Amino acid sequence: LNVYVAMCYYKLDYYDVSLEILAVYLQAHPDSAVAVNLKACNHFRLYNGKAAEAELKLLSDQGRALHTNHLIRHNRIVFANGEGALQVLPALSDFIPEARLNLVIYYLRNDAVQEAYELIKDLEPSTPQEYILKGVVNATVGQALGSRDHVKMAQQFFQLVGSSASECDTIPGRQCMASCFFLLKQFEDVNIYLNS
């Protein structure tokens, strides 16, 4: 139960609380791959990829084969800032939804805009992160190709997230509204959102 509660707090971006709950569970079950992986994810969000990888090293020090666990393989790519993404993420994309999204991010970071677009164009977004990523890809494609339709689609995705009740007062929500206004060339409004 502690791991599930810790996962809920992780999903709500309460990483410190998640770690506190995990600590209780890990005292009794220090070799739990799920709990150690979640602890590593919390450390990634709070600190960086090296701190996250150090947590996973505890499992390998116990003789656990990290390369056989698909979720851990995926997360290690994220912790390493995409290093090895093309070797691991495509095979995981069909059963770890985040693998597809992280592959899109990898392509964007490496200026492979068309590949990123092909991966995300048919995705029906259901989370703020998916809407934001789809917005970023469409804005990038729109600017690269001079396509007003893609820019308009990106603006709509950003506005949807930024004006939603659950996201309007969050940092990503404010950034989405700033991006929306930037694409509309309403720069005074961009500054208002970025300064708030």
Side-chain angles (χ1 to χ4, degrees), residues 3 8 14 16 26 28 31 37 56 84 89-90 121 124 126 133 139 141 149 163:
V3 175
C8 291
Y14 291 111
D16 289 329
L26 284 168
D31 59 341
N37 182 56
L56 290 180
L89 296 182
K121 70 179 180 182
E124 286 298 325
S126 61
L133 190 54
V141 169
D149 289 338
S163 63

Side-chain angles (χ1 to χ4, degrees), residues 13-137:
D13 297 338
Y14 291 111
Y15 309 118
D16 289 329
V17 177
S18 178
L19 283 172
E20 288 174 23
I21 294 167
L22 277 174
V24 173
Y25 182 82
L26 284 168
Q27 282 179 340
H29 307 282
D31 59 341
S32 167
V34 173
V36 171
N37 182 56
L38 181 54
K39 185 178 180 184
C41 291
N42 277 300
H43 279 219
F44 177 70
R45 293 294 188 174
L46 287 171
Y47 309 113
N48 57 38
K50 287 187 186 224
E53 192 63 44
E55 291 302 321
L56 290 180
K57 187 175 182 321
L58 298 174
L59 287 176
S60 63
D61 289 348
Q62 296 169 357
R64 305 288 289 273
L66 299 183
H67 65 279
T68 61
N69 183 309
H70 296 311
L71 186 58
I72 290 176
R73 285 178 55 221
H74 167 269
N75 289 347
R76 291 182 84 188
I77 297 297
V78 175
F79 300 160
N81 205 21
E83 187 177 318
L86 293 178
Q87 290 78 30
V88 175
L89 296 182
L92 301 178
S93 291
D94 290 333
F95 52 94
I96 297 178
E98 291 84 0
R100 177 181 300 272
L101 301 178
N102 284 313
L103 191 54
V104 169
I105 292 167
Y106 172 83
Y107 283 138
L108 286 174
R109 285 182 175 167
N110 290 282
D111 296 322
V113 176
Q114 192 59 40
E115 288 87 345
Y117 178 73
E118 290 300 321
L119 266 181
I120 205 165
K121 70 179 180 182
D122 295 327
L123 173 76
E124 286 298 325
S126 61
T127 66
Q129 294 81 7
E130 290 172 347
Y131 280 100
I132 292 168
L133 190 54
K134 198 152 182 175
V136 169
V137 171

